[in-house]
Amino acid sequence: RVAVVGAGVSGLAATKCCLDEGLEPTCFEQSQDIGGLWRYTEHIEAGRPSLYPSVISNTSKEMSAFSDFPYPEDFPVFLPNARLLDYLQRYVKHFSLRERIKFGTTVVSIRKHPSFATTGQWNVVTEADGKEVSHVFDAVMVCSGNFSEPSLPLHCFPGIERFRGRYFHSRRYKHPDVFQGKRVLVVGMGNSGVDIAVEASRVAAKVTISTSRGAWLLSRVFDHGYPWDMVFNTRLMSLIRTNLPGPLAWGLLNYKMNQRFNHENYGLQPEKSWLLREPVLNDDLPSYILTGRITIKPGVKEVKENSVVFHNCPEEEPIDIIVFCTGYKVSFPFLEESVIKVENKHASLYKYVFPTHLQKHTLAVLGLIRPFGAIMPLTEMQARWVTRVFKGLCQLPPQSVMEKEVNEKKKNQVQWFGLSFDEVLKTEWLVYMDTLASFIGAKPSVPRLLCRDPWLAFTIFFGPCSPYQYRLGGPGHWEGARQAILTQWDRTLKPTRTRVPAGSCSSFPSLLTVVGFLLLLAAVIFGFL
């Protein structure tokens, strides 16, 4: 019996994977419906994520689908939150997950059972309709996310207590009306910060973004008009990024990021560092800077009654509203600190999933990672691995080995080869997916496919690393995986090619060329695959 905490993206994947492995999941969801972060509500609910109605996914539908459930072909390439929620509802219906979910039920506490040392069981206390109930489960999958408890470090902004205007955390933002005719400061340059600044600039008198470190800016529309992640996250590109010497890999990334526009000219250039931070996805910011709607400034030095002073800027900036887009805290209020230790917003977990010190590995955390790629197939892959660990079909390394790896990750060391990642963006998306897939025997083998199914091998190596690749073989094999891979561009272009001039031909990416074939053979020969 497995307790699943939360019915968002991670919780639904966990519940489904439990059923696939013959386990008995019970999913506890404190709200009255599924969706987690992606279920919009006008009011803010305590303990739940909160999003604004204009949110659109940052990853394309083909790259962010669950691996055995493609999006409908008529869905847009990047999804408004309502369409993504629709997809999740279809997923729940297709795999009959709703009967496994207890809605309106809050997990109050999870504690080790007295017999934990031998059984690995957990006492789980839940509350519904004012009544608490105690349960015993053989394992627990924590899928509660990390977008519920805002981080608001006011102590880092001297003078904020004197500010006569209004300030709030981005979690409280819903509509841009609040900014009408106001002078707005957005602190922080993550995805939410830039989204809110862009929306505010359409009605505000002036909008300023304050960022101390800058950020790379990507558009959803990438090379030749294709979705960014279908071009960026391919096996060929990942192979190049991870095997080039570090300085060369960084130089290549720097060139690619500045190809659309020079970040330095727009005040966006990240601080000099060999550690890659999470890029920002936004299609509007460069043009809004060009047209004067948005101004980029350094970090805040001091807040005054009606203005703000920035570092290295002597003049004061008049401000009416401050929006703090300063992220969220990682917390597990239902768990004892001895189970999962959180330091500097990060939990110490092996492969970002398992606490290293437990005698029995019967508790796992899903979705607590910020990859440069789609989170949905990643949490699904975590769930596939976790359920097989619970069943004893996959073994974890000794505690000392796991702790050594976790500690190495904390050091944020610059790697000799490939890109090095900072404390937030910890890993190459495709490498992480392949690592977990190899644990369960679901990683596709390009050399074997080259002999058996060359066309599929080419598509897998040169094309997007879509999640269906991880259903071609191994546990959880799906008969429709091959067809889903070969038709992924059809589903991508279907909602956009709504007007086709007479005599036009398909404009799919011409990746499978003779040159590509020779490159693939060379890669096989030299053992890179």
Side-chain angles (χ1 to χ4, degrees), residues 186-194 209-211 214-217 267-268 277-280 285 296 325:
V186 175
V187 177
M189 201 178 156
N191 287 305
S192 295
V194 174
I209 296 178
S210 168
T211 173
W216 295 119
L217 190 74
L268 299 172
R277 295 184 63 229
E278 182 181 20
V280 173
L285 183 60
I296 308 297
C325 301

Side-chain angles (χ1 to χ4, degrees), residues 44-63:
I44 298 171
E45 301 176 22
R48 276 201 71 244
S50 174
L51 81 164
Y52 36 99
S54 58
V55 167
I56 296 174
S57 65
N58 284 334
T59 51
S60 63
K61 66 177 181 179
E62 290 303 305
M63 298 298 282

Side-chain angles (χ1 to χ4, degrees), residues 320-379:
D320 301 309
I321 298 177
I322 303 176
V323 186
F324 288 99
C325 301
T326 45
Y328 292 82
K329 298 176 183 176
V330 176
S331 65
F332 306 98
F334 44 81
L335 283 173
E336 293 178 305
E337 191 175 331
S338 61
V339 175
I340 299 179
K341 189 175 182 182
V342 178
E343 293 178 325
N344 300 322
K345 294 186 180 182
H346 305 291
S348 297
L349 302 168
Y350 175 64
K351 301 297 181 188
Y352 313 104
V353 175
F354 284 102
T356 59
H357 61 283
L358 295 179
Q359 296 163 289
K360 299 287 184 179
H361 298 293
T362 54
L363 182 140
V365 180
L366 273 62
L368 201 64
I369 183 174
R370 297 278 289 278
F372 189 32
I375 190 67
M376 288 170 63
L378 186 145
T379 57

